[in-house]
Amino acid sequence: EVHLVESGGGLVQPGGSLRLSCAASGFTFSNYALTWVRQAPGKGLEWVSSVGTSGLGALYADFVKGRFTIARDDAKNMLYLQMNSLKTEDTAEYYCQTGGYANYAQPTDRGQGTQVTVSS
């Protein structure tokens, strides 16, 4: 059974940083592209970033380019999202999921999410 468990969210002031983690199990992690998506209250799902196998082909939504960095550690079955220069509009529930950008709206598996709140 596939498990994706996000952690690392919290309350941070504008301009601050957070590092989200996603622990994966139940599948051959290294064989999959992986994605972070987010959903703010009352808004639709937004694609944030994806990374291919072996850490290649990282893609970012325009609104996070230069601020967020996606990374994976296949030895530990971990996916990360380093978020710097956070803005209030980054407030959302963040989810990790299997697959890449092409199917981000209908992933095979998605975690339960971790809440990020950016507020002064």
Side-chain angles (χ1 to χ4, degrees):
E1 184 180 0
V2 173
H3 284 285
L4 297 167
V5 180
E6 301 91 340
S7 61
L11 174 64
V12 63
Q13 292 186 340
S17 298
L18 282 175
R19 186 196 194 203
L20 305 185
S21 299
C22 174
S25 62
F27 63 104
T28 306
F29 184 82
S30 59
N31 288 354
Y32 284 77
L34 300 161
T35 290
W36 288 98
V37 297
R38 72 185 188 185
Q39 187 162 22
K43 295 188 177 180
L45 192 70
E46 281 187 310
W47 171 75
V48 175
S49 180
S50 296
V51 64
T53 56
S54 302
L56 300 177
L59 299 173
Y60 299 93
D62 286 345
F63 53 80
V64 304
K65 276 182 182 176
R67 300 189 298 124
F68 291 11
T69 302
I70 192 170
R72 62 188 297 163
D73 185 337
D74 288 350
K76 296 181 179 180
N77 285 7
M78 294 291 295
L79 177 69
Y80 303 101
L81 186 69
Q82 177 66 45
M83 306 188 297
N84 299 328
S85 302
L86 283 161
K87 305 176 181 180
T88 55
E89 52 264 43
D90 293 319
T91 295
E93 190 83 9
Y94 284 72
Y95 303 89
C96 65
Q97 59 189 47
T98 55
Y101 170 74
N103 65 335
Y104 82 89
Q106 293 180 314
T108 302
D109 301 285
R110 179 182 292 158
Q112 294 301 304
T114 186
Q115 176 67 38
V116 172
T117 302
V118 185
S119 175
S120 55

